[in-house]
Structures are given as C-alpha cells and as structure tokens.
Amino acid sequence: MNLSLKQLKVFLGVANASSFTKTAQSMHLSQAALSAIIRELETQLQCRLLERTTRTVSLTEAGRMFYPTAMKIVEALERSVIELNELGRQKQASLLLGCTPMIAASLMPQVLARFAQIQPESHIELVDRPPSELLKMVEEGDLDAAFGIFFSQLSGIERVPIFPTRLVAVSSADEAASGLGPTQRDGVRWSALEGLPLITLPKDNPLQRLIEASLSKEDITVGRRTVVGHLQTAIAMAHEGLGVAIMPSFCEHICQHYRVRIDVIRPEVEFSFYRITRGGRDTLTVLDQFTEMFAEAAQKKPVLVTNGSR
C-alpha cells in the first residue's frame, strides 16, 4: 500500500464539500483527474469510500470509518511540515529589512553589529528609503519588515508599536543661536517657538502634518521656514544655528554627532515607532529577536555633544 498526502486531501475535500465539482475547482484539478485519484485510493484500500449520485456525494460506511484517520494524518503531516520549515528558517534566517536613512545612519549599524555576534548564522540585509517607499515594499513583499513612523493603519499591513517617542526641539548648542533661551531641565513650552525660524520637512510629510497640527493647536506663529527632505539635514542646519528643527525624540542618536541641544516640547506630543510586516505573513523568531534588540538600542540614552567641535 502506498497512500499519498494528495490522495488523502482529495478524499477529505470531497467528503467535506459533498461535491466532486467544487473540490476539483478548489484544488485546481480537472474532474477527471480528481476522480482518478479517488479510484486509486479506493483500489489501494480495497473498498468504496464515496457514494456518488446525480445530485450529491456521500460517505459510505467505510468512508465514515476512514475519515477521522485521514484527517489526523493530514493534520499531523501539515503541522510537521510547518514546524520543520520554521526550524530551517530560524537556523538559516535571511531577512531583508527597511528603515529610514536617519535610522540607518544612527541606530542600525550598532544593532546589526551586535546581532551578528549573537546570531552569527543569520544574515540581514538593510534597505534605507523614505517611509512611503518602505510601506510599498512591505505591501509588495519585497521586504520582510520595515521600521519607522507609520501613522496610518492600512489594510493588509500589520503594524506593531515597538517603543514610544515624542516631539522635541533640536537647535544650536550655542544659547544665542538657539533662540530658545537657557536650557531647562523639563524642556520648553510650545510658546518658546513663537517667531523663531523653523527647519521643516515638506508639508505633505505625515510627521510634518503632526507638527503643524501641534503648532496650530498651541496658536504658535513661527518665523521663516526652511524646508528640507531629510531629518538629518534638518539637524545639520540646526547645528549651524539656521533655525529650530522639531522632530521625534529618537533623533538623539544622530544628534550626538552634532553640537546641538534637545528640548522636550511641552505639552508633550507622543506617538509610536512601529515595525510593519505584510498581513498574514508568519513572523520569524529571528525577526522578533532583532526587533527587541532594536527597540532596546533606540530607547537607550546617547551621550550628546553640547560643546567643543564636531
């Protein structure tokens, strides 16, 4: 006797649907091929499993006896295949991850280096793109996961918050150039930004829309605006005293390379930093491990340079 998984799945499909036609369609087989598989199974078992009439298909007594055994065999085999595939992927995990350029330049190098020491059998490739491109690449299956600020919950995308962040003001470490006055332990009020030059992202950027909404809520009118495409550019311009940049608090990790000060803006505006994956996709243990390590590094306070040269 040489029973196959395909024979068992075809038998179960017909038994559940009570139809050769529907089962053939769902399993992408011709009715002739499906009927041949059932005949072969019945020949091997030396008994009829299905009673076929002009209107329906029903189980014979032998079929009713065989059904639970066939179900257990199929479930056990499929469960074993999933477990073995997962084990193989964890042992030889290759992940393609995405993040924004600022994260790639500040946080990712240290996380990748540490992860390579802990998981030497895993291989991780990194892509740095703007959030909109990362989202599209995850949707199309070109990335296993991406890290960033993704404000909208989209259909087909699983969005997992991995740590909280808040808006801060980044300005020159020189008090006169900063325009924010003496450094305060508890940060600055939104009102401190009144009339100051601002370094902003494009107005259609989701983060910038949040910043604009916050300024409007506090009834703040800023001075001239300098629009840039990347957060790191805004930090570099703030370093030179060209204005104040409002950005997420995780920017501290790139700010340590510049002579800038960072002030929490109060009332605080908090939001989440996310990991996104395509919906319905199995999450590998190795991805969860990397995410945990990344979140830990992101929330660790860096030592900021506030005097001396760059």
Side-chain angles (χ1 to χ4, degrees):
M1 187 178 298
N2 187 25
L3 300 182
S4 70
L5 179 62
K6 187 172 186 178
Q7 288 175 330
L8 297 178
K9 293 181 77 170
V10 166
F11 164 69
L12 291 172
V14 174
N16 291 331
S18 299
S19 170
F20 275 69
T21 302
K22 291 179 180 179
T23 305
Q25 291 174 345
S26 66
M27 300 189 73
H28 306 290
L29 294 170
S30 66
Q31 287 196 55
L34 186 139
S35 296
I37 290 171
I38 292 295
R39 282 197 303 271
E40 183 181 2
L41 176 62
E42 291 177 328
T43 298
Q44 290 180 321
L45 295 175
Q46 298 181 1
C47 62
R48 287 183 62 82
L49 300 173
L50 298 164
E51 197 68 55
R52 187 175 184 179
T53 67
T54 55
R55 291 189 175 184
T56 186
V57 177
S58 60
L59 290 171
T60 64
E61 183 179 354
R64 287 192 294 273
M65 291 178 61
F66 183 63
Y67 182 90
T69 300
M71 180 68 76
K72 289 179 182 178
I73 293 171
V74 170
E75 288 178 346
L77 283 173
E78 290 184 337
R79 185 167 57 250
S80 293
V81 168
I82 291 172
E83 290 173 352
L84 289 172
N85 285 341
E86 175 69 10
L87 179 63
R89 292 181 71 188
Q90 288 183 28
K91 285 186 174 180
Q92 298 180 339
S94 178
L95 295 177
L96 184 56
L97 305 178
C99 66
T100 59
M102 189 181 78
I103 293 296
S106 58
L107 279 169
M108 279 300 183
Q110 58 176 295
V111 178
L112 289 170
R114 185 180 170 211
F115 192 78
Q117 293 177 338
I118 297 174
Q119 295 280 358
E121 73 282 0
S122 301
H123 177 66
I124 295 180
E125 295 183 46
L126 187 67
V127 172
D128 60 332
R129 297 285 190 279
S132 58
E133 291 185 33
L134 293 175
L135 182 59
K136 183 178 180 182
M137 293 177 75
V138 170
E139 283 181 312
E140 296 178 353
D142 296 328
L143 290 176
D144 292 303
F147 298 88
I149 304 171
F150 301 97
F151 288 103
S152 300
Q153 176 65 66
L154 299 178
S155 176
I157 294 293
E158 184 176 354
R159 190 177 60 150
V160 177
I162 57 176
F163 62 84
T165 187
R166 55 188 176 177
L167 291 180
V168 297
V170 178
S171 59
S172 172
D174 181 88
E175 187 176 308
S178 167
L180 291 174
T183 301
Q184 302 293 325
R185 180 177 298 179
D186 62 345
V188 298
R189 307 290 298 180
W190 283 94
S191 57
L193 299 170
E194 182 71 32
L196 294 183
L198 211 62
I199 305 165
T200 76
L201 296 171
K203 62 182 180 180
D204 61 344
N205 182 286
L207 175 60
Q208 189 59 41
R209 288 201 292 266
L210 173 64
I211 293 168
E212 296 299 336
S214 301
L215 289 168
S216 177
K217 180 181 178 181
E218 298 296 327
D219 197 25
I220 304 301
T221 302
V222 298
R224 74 172 189 279
R225 291 170 177 264
T226 303
V227 180
V228 299
H230 301 284
L231 289 175
Q232 190 167 353
T233 305
I235 295 169
M237 297 185 75
H239 161 88
E240 297 294 346
L242 298 175
V244 179
I246 302 175
M247 56 184 59
S249 54
F250 61 77
C251 71
E252 294 173 339
H253 293 274
I254 198 71
C255 284
Q256 62 185 317
H257 302 291
Y258 297 85
R259 285 194 70 244
V260 293
R261 59 182 271 190
I262 298 176
D263 295 278
V264 175
I265 311 175
R266 301 187 185 281
E268 292 187 24
V269 177
E270 294 187 329
F271 47 101
S272 293
F273 190 96
Y274 293 95
R275 183 192 75 189
I276 59 171
T277 54
R278 191 165 61 173
R281 188 169 186 169
D282 291 336
T283 300
L284 296 177
T285 301
V286 68
L287 176 57
D288 288 335
Q289 292 171 339
F290 183 88
T291 301
E292 184 177 344
M293 192 174 297
F294 174 82
E296 181 183 335
Q299 295 177 91
K300 185 177 180 181
K301 278 280 188 181
V303 177
L304 299 180
V305 177
T306 57
N307 50 57
S309 58
R310 271 168 62 181

